[in-house]
Amino acid sequence: MKRDLLTIAAAGLVAGAASLAHAATLDDVKAKGFVQCGINTGLPGFAYKDDAGEWQGFDVDYCKALAAAVFGDASKVKYTNLTGATRFEALKSGEVDALSRNTTWTYSRDTDLALTFVGVNYYDGQGFIAKKELGVTSATELGGASICIQTGTTTELNLADFFRTNNMEYEPVPIENNEEARQNYLAGRCDAYTTDRSGLAATRAALENPSDHVILKDVISKEPLGPLVRQGDDEWADIARWTLNALILAEEYGIDSANVDQLAAGGDNPEINRMLGTEGEFGAMLRLDKDWVANVIRGVGNYGEIFDRHIGPDTAIGLDRGLNAQYKDGGILYAPPYR
Amino acid sequence: MAAADRADEPFRLTDIWANQRSRSLVIQIITLIVLLLAVSWIVNNTIRNLSDLGVETGYGFLWDPASYDINQHLIDYSSRSTHARAALVGFLNTALVAVTGVAFATVLGFIAGVLRLSPNWLIAKLMTVYVEATRNVPLLLQILLWYGIVVNALPHPRNAAEPVGGFFLSNRGFYLPRPLWEDGAWLIAAGLLAAVAFAIWFAGHARRVQERTGRIYPVLLVSLCVLVGAPVIAFFLAGSPVSLDWPELKGFNFVGGFAVKPEFFALWFALSLYTGAFIAEIVRGGILSVSHGQTEAAHALGLKPGRTMRLVILPQALRVIVPPLISQYLNLTKNSSLAIAVGYMDLTATIGRISLNQTGRALECMSIVLTVYLMISLLISAFMNWYNRRIRLVER
Amino acid sequence: MDRSGHQVHEKVADMRPPITSVGWVRWLRENLFSSPLSAALTLVTAYVLYLLVPPLFGWAFLDAVWFAASREECWATGEGACWAIVTTRVDQFVYGDYPADERWRAVLAFVLLLLALVPILFDRVPGRARWLVFSLLYPLIAYVLLIGGVPGLPEVETAKFGGFLLTLVIGVTGISASLPLGILLALGRRSDLFIIRVLSVGFIEFIRGVPLITLLFVASTLLNYFLPPGTSFNLLVRVLIMVTLFSSAYLAEVIRGGLQAIPGGQYEAANSLGLSYWKSMRLIILPQALKISIPGIVNSFIALFKDTTLVIIIGMLDPLGIGKATLSDATWQGLSTEVYVFVALFFFICCFSMSRYSLYLERKLHTGH
């Protein structure tokens, strides 16, 4: 009996000791063999299932880029679909390693929620979509309307602020995700749906008669969307941040999936050489391979290619680069130098 | 000799195990130690995880502005109200759907239960179909089904149906005129209170007269007349101090009046149908538990079937019916947490979902939700135990 | 007059009974028209049924479209229910995202489940003892079959479980894992040891006092905090843990009822035979208690089975979740009634047959004593 007590005490001590050791996320991911990435449950253009049942999209490609950075293989990634309400807890609790789910970077999310935003991959703003037959041209005419709104988002808070400052009443119709919003909006339960304008464009593209619906011209908030990781692991945050920067820098310097192999053999441009690993030991600074950037570009292409592939002007979503063009082209995409 | 022998034997550890009292003591101590170790392990892990993440703990966030709107609130609420007020609004919404659900479910359950025993074959079979169909389909599914029917089948407010002048039915809700109380309305309330007091006194008086002389006063009729008449008379005496706020279509929605939203309706209706089916079974079981000899004796005394049910069967059946009935009420209250599936803002939806996600305080918010439900359950269970003790058959 | 002188009467043929007291006319009179009120009710109900049932029947069967490629095609073909949304996606409804060429494993696991249930639910089966060993090993067999990871069976991650497969996995695992826990809790609640009793009662009252959905929220948000940093169970495992704990509290009450129904004489007889507490429980008390409690256990299983739909709220794809995901596809928008009715029908058939079985059991056990 005394032996039983001793065993129990020993087990408790071991368990306590085990909780003291804390592995870094990069080591955990490498041990697992894949990156667990949190994505949307379904937003055309950003995260959607193709005909083969595989997840594709603007945000999904970032996850693939992260996998390519760590493993050299963009397919070593598994996805967890998260709603607006479940995404932060999943990230904080360790269920996913990174969140690429059109999430707005705000002060309180960065500080209070203990999350780390690694950059902005889409500069957006909040808007409204309404049926053309309502004859509404501006959001200020929506007094007294029913508005579908996703819970647990910044759009919810911005909506409340907008209507309060404009002294208008409204009926919020809470919904969990984009599909429910579309159903309620089409059924007439709500007069308008509000979310990021990129989401509105994606939603409208998936409707039967897109021209029957109008995206109102008002942009009522800034919505810088970007990927994020947990607080507390700076190394992993750096890897995530520089993966995004690498995508942007690659477009700035003209590296794309077609010429990456040729440029990786060595060339005249020192910045390209540093990025693709022919000069210096930059990969080792993040405990990654020398040619991690080359792997990323090989896996998913550069920022422009990703944009054009999923949400560009030639796709059903049809978004212009706008603010999301490189700074040299009139936008505000500006990544720090790779040196 | 034997005693001396026993005193000479050395004390062995296994003697503790052999003696039942000491053995039970040791087992309890070990259990306690294991439990404390497990709890401390969990607490240690939680503290480590939270500090690694840099998450703050504490209930101070409850007094920060919530910054989100709630579409149905029984008390004043705006997006500048605190999280604590949002939790209160959620709690009142839960209470609203629970109380109205219990009322309708009880009525439905008793009617269905009694009708299932009806001699009319068609009615009995219909009630059986209702009970079996609703009991065997998950509640969440029924809630979503009713919500889908209401939202998809009812017309847009601009084409709202108007069954009676001033009442509107649309897929945004059922709109009724709302009474506005002006000066002098207190007289109506006073009249109602006086009527209630009179009704109670009259019932007691009628019973005393019946026991003494055998005369039966029409208590129900008189009470109803008084309960309806007194407030009406007070209303006219005070000069009609109540006006109605009629709903009007302004722009997108109806303004004014009182609205029953589709979310509330779907939740309330599905909950009542579902719980009503279980109550019907309980009522039927209770009525069947009363020995048939009681019915025969009542009939032999010349009581009509309606009177038999009301005066002889139901009072005895109630003894069997009430305990499981109260646990069904508890189930209904707990099932109301499914409100989140249709967007009705009850306690779980406000503080357990939206506040939790906007502030990130998962532990604190979840602890509030669990504590509130636990307290409701314990209260109802305590009431049930008290009631059981009170009506327990005192056997000789 | 016959030969002995008695008057002989010809036996006249029996008169037929009045037409209103035999056959279907009598049945009608007694059951449908026994009193004026009853007659009125019958007529009104019959009229309402006449108004409702034929259109419903037409919508569901006669005018329904069974196969089509999209909602437009459905509505162009017929006016009734568009069951095509179910027939084209029936694979998803049954298996979720389970890989198509591994589906035989799920089917095999289901067939083995039915086989494993036979000795538990039916008494007089030849070779029952050996069959029960198979039933006990079934969870392990099913785990290996469904998840794989052994040579010859490629691994299928639990995130791909969905549809009816997921419902059965959660339901069966929940009830079979919570049974031993429930027995322990029931015994603990009746124990003389104060600490054990307090712990059991506290646990049972806590679990029974909160809605299942809040426990599922805890599973999806908080459970990872309680584990050492760096570890994380996948969502299905966490849900199974919570469902098991939930179900064990309710089962404990059912088994406690069974334990209370056993005459005190059994306990005393076991004691007088010199059996220790655990021996008497194992050999004498528990077999009887479990036999009495089986209808209650089946009812608990029915409730658990219905409660598995709640996992949709934390993002898992049970049949209801598959239904909602299907509805969000642009080709099938607006057909919520068909989807919900189909899922409701599935649950109705399962739960109704289980409750009929439970009634049959109750009747059998009642006369058995």
Side-chain angles (χ1 to χ4, degrees):
Chain A
M1 189 224 6
K2 250 192 195 153
R3 204 176 42 191
D4 296 329
L5 273 175
L6 221 55
T7 328
I8 296 169
L13 272 173
V14 166
S19 68
L20 283 173
H22 183 202
T25 314
L26 179 61
D27 297 322
D28 285 337
V29 166
K30 278 193 176 156
K32 267 192 311 194
F34 57 87
V35 176
Q36 189 78 37
C37 207
I39 58 173
N40 203 312
T41 49
L43 183 62
F46 287 82
Y48 60 93
K49 259 193 182 173
D50 64 11
D51 293 328
E54 300 293 321
W55 283 97
Q56 308 286 353
F58 184 75
D59 284 332
V60 171
D61 274 350
Y62 174 79
C63 293
K64 292 185 178 160
L66 202 52
V70 175
F71 295 108
D73 183 355
S75 64
K76 289 211 160 93
V77 56
K78 292 198 182 158
Y79 305 104
T80 309
N81 301 99
L82 301 167
T83 62
T86 52
R87 53 185 160 166
F88 297 127
E89 285 310 317
L91 180 63
K92 283 200 292 187
S93 65
E95 194 183 329
V96 296
D97 302 311
L99 189 63
S100 179
R101 196 211 172 273
N102 54 300
T103 305
T104 312
W105 188 348
T106 68
Y107 170 77
S108 60
R109 283 177 178 175
D110 214 351
T111 57
D112 204 29
L113 283 184
L115 304 168
T116 296
F117 283 84
V118 300
V120 178
N121 68 351
Y122 194 89
Y123 290 92
D124 205 351
Q126 183 174 342
F128 296 86
I129 187 174
K131 293 196 177 123
K132 213 172 247 177
E133 61 187 16
L134 286 179
V136 170
T137 49
S138 157
T140 46
E141 296 166 25
L142 284 175
S146 302
I147 317 257
C148 280
I149 177 72
Q150 285 190 45
T151 56
T153 57
T154 49
T155 40
E156 190 179 21
L157 311 177
N158 293 332
L159 184 69
D161 285 343
F162 177 74
F163 274 83
R164 198 176 69 230
T165 27
N166 284 304
N167 274 323
M168 295 192 295
E169 298 281 325
Y170 73 106
E171 183 204 0
V173 181
I175 38 123
E176 280 292 296
N177 53 33
N178 199 48
E179 292 91 45
E180 253 184 73
R182 198 169 59 214
Q183 283 174 49
N184 277 351
Y185 170 72
L186 287 174
R189 176 73 184 82
C190 49
D191 300 300
Y193 171 42
T194 181
T195 182
D196 308 326
R197 294 182 106 234
S198 57
L200 291 177
T203 307
R204 188 171 81 158
L207 294 173
E208 249 177 280
N209 294 315
S211 46
D212 285 343
H213 308 271
V214 58
I215 298 180
L216 303 179
K217 62 182 192 319
D218 309 74
V219 179
I220 67 171
S221 74
K222 288 194 291 197
E223 302 285 331
L225 308 177
L228 46 154
V229 295
R230 284 186 283 286
Q231 248 181 35
D233 191 339
D234 288 335
E235 180 188 52
W236 181 246
D238 279 340
I239 295 175
R241 184 174 305 117
W242 280 97
T243 303
L244 180 58
N245 289 338
L247 291 172
I248 299 174
L249 283 172
E251 193 193 14
E252 185 184 343
Y253 286 100
I255 313 174
D256 57 36
S257 44
N259 59 23
V260 62
D261 287 316
Q262 171 203 356
L263 290 172
D268 290 330
N269 190 322
E271 183 103 1
I272 296 183
N273 288 342
R274 280 192 296 271
M275 278 170 60
L276 296 181
T278 29
E279 268 179 41
E281 289 290 336
F282 289 89
M285 294 178 193
L286 284 175
R287 290 207 282 147
L288 296 175
D289 291 333
K290 206 190 245 220
D291 50 354
W292 70 275
V293 177
N295 289 333
V296 166
I297 307 301
R298 269 189 217 113
V300 294
N302 63 25
Y303 181 90
E305 284 177 287
I306 298 177
F307 193 103
D308 291 331
R309 189 183 304 144
H310 299 292
I311 54 179
D314 295 330
T315 63
I317 318 291
L319 290 170
D320 284 324
R321 288 294 289 265
L323 275 179
N324 295 298
Q326 295 279 341
Y327 70 101
K328 291 189 206 158
D329 300 326
I332 58 176
L333 236 48
Y334 187 104
Y338 195 90
R339 67 171 355 182
Chain B
M1 288 306 281
D5 282 343
R6 265 200 296 271
D8 285 343
E9 279 176 20
F11 173 73
R12 293 204 295 271
L13 220 51
T14 48
D15 286 348
I16 298 186
W17 205 253
N19 180 330
Q20 184 181 7
R21 258 220 340 248
S22 62
R23 181 174 70 215
S24 66
L25 201 61
V26 163
I27 292 182
Q28 293 185 66
I29 292 179
I30 294 181
T31 318
L32 209 52
I33 292 179
V34 169
L35 185 72
L36 285 174
L37 275 175
V39 167
S40 74
W41 180 70
I42 289 182
V43 168
N44 191 36
N45 283 335
T46 314
I47 294 179
R48 274 215 85 75
N49 277 318
L50 290 180
S51 74
D52 279 347
L53 290 172
V55 174
E56 286 181 33
T57 51
Y59 288 88
F61 76 96
L62 283 174
W63 313 114
D64 292 334
S67 306
Y68 61 91
D69 281 313
I70 300 179
N71 55 10
Q72 251 192 306
H73 41 95
L74 290 174
I75 54 175
D76 283 333
Y77 175 84
S78 80
S79 56
R80 257 180 309 211
S81 311
T82 56
H83 283 290
R85 197 166 178 90
L88 183 59
V89 168
F91 175 72
L92 287 175
N93 281 343
T94 300
L96 177 67
V97 81
V99 166
T100 47
V102 156
F104 189 47
T106 312
V107 166
L108 210 58
F110 270 85
I111 294 179
V114 170
L115 283 182
R116 258 193 92 169
L117 297 167
S118 153
N120 186 318
W121 179 88
L122 196 58
I123 303 277
K125 279 294 172 236
L126 258 170
M127 287 298 131
T128 310
V129 165
Y130 155 65
V131 165
E132 288 302 323
T134 39
R135 267 192 343 159
N136 288 312
V137 174
L139 178 59
L140 185 57
L141 197 47
Q142 297 186 40
I143 296 177
L144 290 173
L145 197 64
W146 287 111
Y147 186 65
I149 290 179
V150 169
V151 165
N152 285 315
L154 289 182
H156 195 272
R158 291 196 171 169
N159 313 322
E162 198 174 348
V164 181
F167 293 71
F168 295 97
L169 198 59
S170 75
N171 69 358
R172 306 270 173 91
F174 181 46
Y175 292 89
L176 318 134
R178 187 162 56 106
L180 290 171
W181 310 106
E182 295 153 17
D183 295 330
W186 62 269
L187 206 60
I188 303 180
L192 189 63
L193 273 170
V196 168
F198 174 77
I200 294 177
W201 169 84
F202 185 68
H205 174 74
R207 193 171 49 242
R208 279 190 295 274
V209 164
Q210 182 182 0
E211 280 173 18
R212 219 177 34 231
T213 66
R215 276 179 56 195
I216 299 181
Y217 286 158
V219 176
L220 196 62
L221 201 59
V222 170
S223 308
L224 268 175
C225 286
V226 167
L227 278 170
V228 172
V232 170
I233 297 177
F235 173 77
F236 284 113
L237 272 180
S240 316
V242 180
S243 60
L244 289 174
D245 182 16
W246 296 93
E248 274 174 43
L249 182 63
K250 279 204 188 118
F252 297 100
N253 279 318
F254 284 94
V255 175
F258 177 74
V260 178
K261 296 250 175 274
E263 291 84 20
F264 174 81
F265 173 77
L267 185 65
W268 166 79
F269 196 62
L271 270 176
S272 305
L273 279 185
Y274 185 75
T275 315
F278 285 91
I279 294 181
E281 282 302 281
I282 294 173
V283 165
R284 188 177 74 107
I287 294 180
L288 285 178
S289 75
V290 177
S291 140
H292 193 59
Q294 297 286 307
T295 318
E296 292 170 353
H299 286 163
L301 282 177
L303 287 175
K304 287 201 284 222
R307 281 236 171 104
T308 316
M309 181 61 79
R310 192 165 53 90
L311 296 171
V312 177
I313 307 293
L314 269 182
Q316 297 185 62
L318 273 178
R319 186 188 304 279
V320 176
I321 289 176
V322 168
L325 188 68
I326 297 189
S327 63
Q328 282 305 321
Y329 291 167
L330 185 57
N331 279 343
L332 191 147
T333 312
K334 288 192 294 178
N335 284 334
S336 69
S337 57
L338 291 177
I340 207 163
V342 288
Y344 178 70
M345 292 284 132
D346 74 326
L347 180 71
T348 322
T350 51
I351 189 111
R353 193 75 152 164
I354 303 188
S355 291
L356 191 155
N357 281 293
Q358 298 289 6
T359 59
R361 305 274 204 269
L363 262 178
E364 292 85 339
C365 289
M366 272 288 120
S367 65
I368 294 177
V369 170
L370 288 174
T371 314
V372 170
Y373 276 111
L374 204 53
M375 283 204 306
I376 297 177
S377 307
L378 290 177
L379 265 169
I380 297 187
S381 304
F383 172 73
M384 184 155 67
N385 286 337
W386 168 83
Y387 181 83
N388 271 342
R389 260 196 302 272
R390 221 177 79 114
I391 61 150
R392 195 170 43 199
L393 282 172
V394 180
E395 287 170 12
R396 257 176 292 199
Chain C
M1 290 242 204
D2 72 353
R3 277 179 284 135
S4 57
H6 289 125
Q7 268 209 318
V8 175
H9 300 275
E10 281 287 323
K11 190 164 187 285
V12 180
D14 284 337
M15 267 175 54
R16 286 233 190 91
I19 193 167
T20 53
S21 65
V22 285
W24 58 272
V25 181
R26 171 176 172 203
W27 183 87
L28 271 183
R29 241 187 109 206
E30 280 187 5
N31 289 316
L32 292 181
F33 297 100
S34 55
S35 75
L37 178 63
S38 181
L41 272 176
T42 308
L43 287 174
V44 166
T45 320
Y47 179 64
V48 167
L49 284 177
Y50 166 72
L51 279 181
L52 287 178
V53 173
L56 212 61
F57 191 70
W59 175 86
F61 293 104
L62 298 176
D63 298 327
V65 180
W66 296 91
F67 296 100
S70 77
R71 188 195 42 163
E72 284 91 30
E73 208 181 298
C74 243
W75 284 355
T77 324
E79 284 160 16
C82 186
W83 296 118
I85 186 179
V86 168
T87 48
T88 37
R89 297 270 184 137
V90 88
D91 282 341
Q92 287 253 304
F93 274 105
V94 175
Y95 300 106
D97 280 336
Y98 209 81
D101 33 350
E102 307 294 331
R103 283 186 184 154
W104 61 272
R105 287 156 60 175
V107 174
L108 183 60
F110 179 66
V111 167
L112 289 178
L113 171 70
L114 293 177
L115 282 177
L117 281 176
V118 165
I120 302 179
L121 298 177
F122 298 104
D123 256 349
R124 255 133 345 123
V125 170
R128 186 161 179 244
R130 257 174 304 216
W131 205 328
L132 272 175
V133 171
F134 168 71
S135 306
L136 255 132
L137 286 177
Y138 174 76
L140 199 58
I141 302 174
Y143 175 86
V144 168
L145 257 184
L146 286 174
I147 297 189
V150 297
L153 291 175
E155 183 173 357
V156 178
E157 33 178 57
T158 53
K160 293 210 188 288
F161 287 16
F164 301 151
L165 171 64
L166 185 64
T167 307
L168 280 174
V169 163
I170 297 180
V172 171
T173 314
I175 202 86
S176 49
S178 62
L179 198 51
L181 195 55
I183 293 176
L184 285 176
L185 280 172
L187 291 177
R189 197 169 172 164
R190 289 173 53 97
S191 158
D192 293 324
L193 306 179
F194 174 70
I195 300 274
I196 309 253
R197 194 171 61 240
V198 159
L199 286 177
S200 305
V201 170
F203 179 81
I204 294 178
E205 289 306 314
F206 172 75
I207 297 280
R208 278 163 49 105
V210 294
L212 177 57
I213 193 166
T214 50
L215 289 177
L216 288 178
F217 278 172
V218 167
S220 72
T221 58
L222 289 181
L223 210 54
N224 273 332
Y225 286 158
F226 298 156
L227 301 171
T231 60
S232 146
F233 290 152
N234 71 33
L235 188 57
L236 181 61
V237 173
R238 278 182 277 148
V239 165
L240 285 175
I241 292 177
M242 275 304 165
V243 161
T244 304
L245 290 177
F246 186 76
S247 162
S248 65
Y250 285 83
L251 267 185
E253 288 297 285
V254 168
I255 296 176
R256 186 169 78 109
L259 286 170
Q260 269 172 334
I262 296 178
Q266 295 287 308
Y267 296 92
E268 293 166 1
N271 268 342
S272 67
L273 280 176
L275 292 173
S276 72
Y277 176 79
W278 289 107
K279 276 228 176 79
S280 63
M281 281 296 148
R282 185 167 63 88
L283 295 170
I284 308 222
I285 307 293
L286 278 182
Q288 297 183 59
L290 287 178
K291 185 165 157 236
I292 298 180
S293 319
I294 286 189
I297 295 178
V298 174
N299 287 339
S300 286
F301 181 61
I302 298 176
L304 185 64
F305 197 69
K306 288 187 294 180
D307 281 340
T308 57
T309 51
L310 263 59
V311 296
I312 188 185
I313 297 196
I314 50 172
M316 297 181 88
L317 290 174
D318 71 322
L320 199 52
I322 303 264
K324 286 190 110 181
T326 312
L327 283 175
S328 68
D329 193 340
T331 40
W332 298 110
Q333 220 154 274
L335 294 172
S336 54
T337 325
E338 283 87 339
V339 167
Y340 291 153
V341 165
F342 169 69
V343 179
L345 208 61
F346 163 72
F347 276 102
F348 177 76
I349 293 175
C350 289
C351 295
F352 188 66
S353 20
M354 287 194 280
S355 67
R356 286 288 121 182
Y357 171 75
S358 160
L359 272 177
Y360 149 77
L361 264 185
E362 256 177 294
R363 254 176 311 198
K364 197 175 71 150
L365 290 173
H366 226 46
T367 57
H369 286 162

